[in-house]
Amino acid sequence: MHKLEFNYAPEVREALATGRPVVALESTIISHGMPYPQNVKTAREVEDVIRSHGVTPATIGILEGVVCIGMTPEELETFGRLGPKCHKVSRRDLAFVLAARANGATTVAGTMLLAHP
C-alpha cells in the first residue's frame, strides 16, 4: 500500500508550529500558465509580496508523488523547469498522480484539498 507523503517546506513548518498565518497557493499558474523562467520569477515575486505582509506562502504541488506544502527555492526551480510536463491536478486527478509517483501542479480545488490534510 502506498503511503501518502507530505513534505512541508521549513518555512511553512515553522509558521504552522508557531501559529503564524500561512496562505496556500495553487501551482498550475507556474506549470501551465507561463513559460520558464518567467514562471519561476513570477512565483518568487508573489511569494515575496505575501511575506512582506507577514504571511508565509505555501505553494502546493507534487514532485515525484510527494505532496509539497510550500516549496524550497530549489523545488520551485525544478517545478518551473518541468512546466507542462507536470500533470494538472484537481481533486479527481490526485489519486492517479500520487500512485504513479508523478509530478503534478495543483488547481485551486486540488490546493484546497491538500492544504487541509
Side-chain angles (χ1 to χ4, degrees):
M1 177 183 252
H2 177 72
K3 182 180 178 226
L4 185 59
E5 296 178 59
F6 283 80
N7 180 38
Y8 288 81
E11 176 183 28
V12 173
R13 190 178 318 112
E14 182 181 333
L16 292 172
T18 58
R20 292 195 322 265
V22 176
V23 64
L25 301 168
E26 61 95 19
S27 53
T28 54
I29 190 72
I30 301 166
S31 63
H32 293 76
M34 289 178 263
Y36 178 82
Q38 180 187 359
N39 56 358
V40 175
K41 179 179 182 288
T42 301
R44 288 184 175 145
E45 289 172 353
V46 169
E47 287 188 347
D48 288 342
V49 168
I50 291 168
R51 284 185 193 98
S52 75
H53 291 280
V55 179
T56 300
T59 300
I60 297 179
I62 301 166
L63 290 172
E64 297 179 357
V66 177
V67 176
C68 299
I69 307 293
M71 293 190 189
T72 65
E74 297 80 18
E75 289 169 334
L76 193 59
E77 182 73 23
T78 297
F79 201 80
R81 285 181 184 272
L82 285 168
K85 292 177 189 167
C86 289
H87 293 273
K88 193 171 183 179
V89 181
S90 192
R91 295 174 65 99
R92 71 167 188 246
D93 312 298
L94 197 54
F96 167 76
V97 172
L98 293 173
R101 302 201 61 76
N103 299 307
T106 57
T107 63
V108 171
T111 298
M112 289 172 51
L113 183 66
L114 294 170
H116 298 282

